[in-house]
Amino acid sequence: MKIAHRELLTLAARSLPGRIALACVLACTLLNMSMATAQSLKLDAPSPLHQGNNQALIDSFVGDHYYYFYAEPGKFHIAWTFSGAQEGFDVGGKPSFAAVFNPKTAGSQITHKDGPTGAVYEGSVTQRTRVLVGVSPVNSKLVRQTTPYIIVVTGNVSFGNASAGPDPIVGTYAQKLIFSGEPALGAVRFLANGKILSSNGGTGTWAAFDAESGIYTVTIGGHRMTLTLQRGRALVDTANKQTVFELQR
């Protein structure tokens, strides 16, 4: 598990498991944060969870995912489940999950129970309290493993406004599929205004085709593609699932 700051080492050492270390990172680092609306790889800018299934792929070559929601007075329930490797290799081990109050308020309580394919958190608060959630991939830096997971939050809860910010596609990517006969684009920025800029000077455009399904039309380097956004990971070819652009931290 990642320990983001030196002061977390002592706290993490008290508990040992990766899940606890992740919880220490969440609890100790995020007292003052900005909001984000796309799925986030940034500890200081988590994404809002939404009602129902929050599905994603976590990639050992990309990094952690961070979310938040609000616990309202009363009880809440978090169910996190994961399944087998979807892309790359199954190197063994399990991804990790943690949820902490951010910040903890008077009367707030949370417990958890780990299972073979996930974890369940139960909690209660007496006043509106922000809850921060983190998912870490399997520790595999030399061999890629991607793991599908689902987060479901129920009970007395409310969610952030995911429609208030930029489209989830906005971000900086690395080109993973090189177009035949053309130079590499290098780093590629998808901007909020529908434009694309690449570090080799190339330009292009993007547009949402089916926002609910995460399908986009992308034109760059003389190529027009239909890509599906795997939030917090990559843009993949909608037809063959090959990674075209990989999200950078």
Side-chain angles (χ1 to χ4, degrees):
M1 291 299 96
K2 302 176 181 64
I3 302 298
H5 296 279
R6 185 171 52 195
E7 64 267 24
L8 301 178
L9 293 173
T10 301
L11 292 172
R14 295 175 185 170
S15 304
L16 297 181
R19 176 192 57 75
I20 300 298
L22 177 61
C24 289
V25 172
L26 298 180
C28 299
T29 313
L30 297 172
L31 295 180
N32 295 292
M33 299 184 303
S34 59
M35 298 293 183
T37 55
Q39 179 176 331
S40 180
L41 301 176
K42 297 180 180 179
L43 185 61
D44 61 350
S47 298
L49 289 169
H50 59 74
Q51 187 174 12
N53 287 353
N54 294 265
Q55 296 178 274
L57 274 175
I58 194 158
D59 190 323
S60 63
F61 279 17
V62 177
D64 301 342
H65 293 172
Y66 301 103
Y67 304 91
Y68 73 94
F69 69 92
Y70 293 101
E72 305 293 350
K75 296 181 179 180
F76 65 89
H77 176 97
I78 310 169
W80 172 67
T81 56
F82 65 89
S83 52
Q86 181 166 314
E87 184 177 327
F89 298 89
D90 188 344
V91 299
K94 299 193 299 183
S96 296
F97 178 88
V100 297
F101 296 119
N102 176 235
K104 183 175 175 62
T105 56
S108 58
Q109 302 180 48
I110 193 167
T111 62
H112 77 274
K113 182 177 181 181
D114 294 325
T117 59
V120 172
Y121 279 65
E122 304 278 0
S124 64
V125 297
T126 59
Q127 58 186 289
R128 192 173 202 248
T129 304
R130 196 170 189 233
V131 180
L132 184 66
V133 171
V135 184
S136 284
V138 170
N139 186 14
S140 178
K141 301 304 180 186
L142 299 179
V143 179
R144 163 166 273 152
Q145 179 174 327
T146 64
T147 308
Y149 69 84
I150 299 174
I151 302 171
V152 181
V153 179
T154 55
N156 293 343
V157 297
S158 59
F159 301 99
N161 183 7
S163 63
D167 190 283
I169 198 175
V170 172
T172 300
Y173 298 78
Q175 183 186 19
K176 308 305 287 187
L177 176 65
I178 306 301
F179 304 133
S180 178
E182 297 186 10
L185 296 169
V188 181
R189 294 181 61 199
F190 283 69
L191 306 178
N193 62 2
K195 304 295 184 181
I196 302 172
L197 302 176
S198 71
S199 59
N200 79 345
T203 61
T205 60
W206 64 267
F209 175 77
D210 183 345
E212 186 174 347
S213 300
I215 299 174
Y216 295 81
T217 300
V218 174
T219 302
I220 189 170
H223 295 268
R224 188 175 188 274
M225 301 167 282
T226 301
L227 305 180
T228 299
L229 177 65
Q230 293 180 344
R231 293 195 176 198
R233 180 178 178 267
L235 283 159
V236 303
D237 186 284
T238 300
N240 62 27
K241 307 305 180 186
Q242 184 174 8
T243 297
V244 181
F245 299 108
E246 184 177 86
L247 185 65
Q248 301 300 288
R249 293 183 68 85

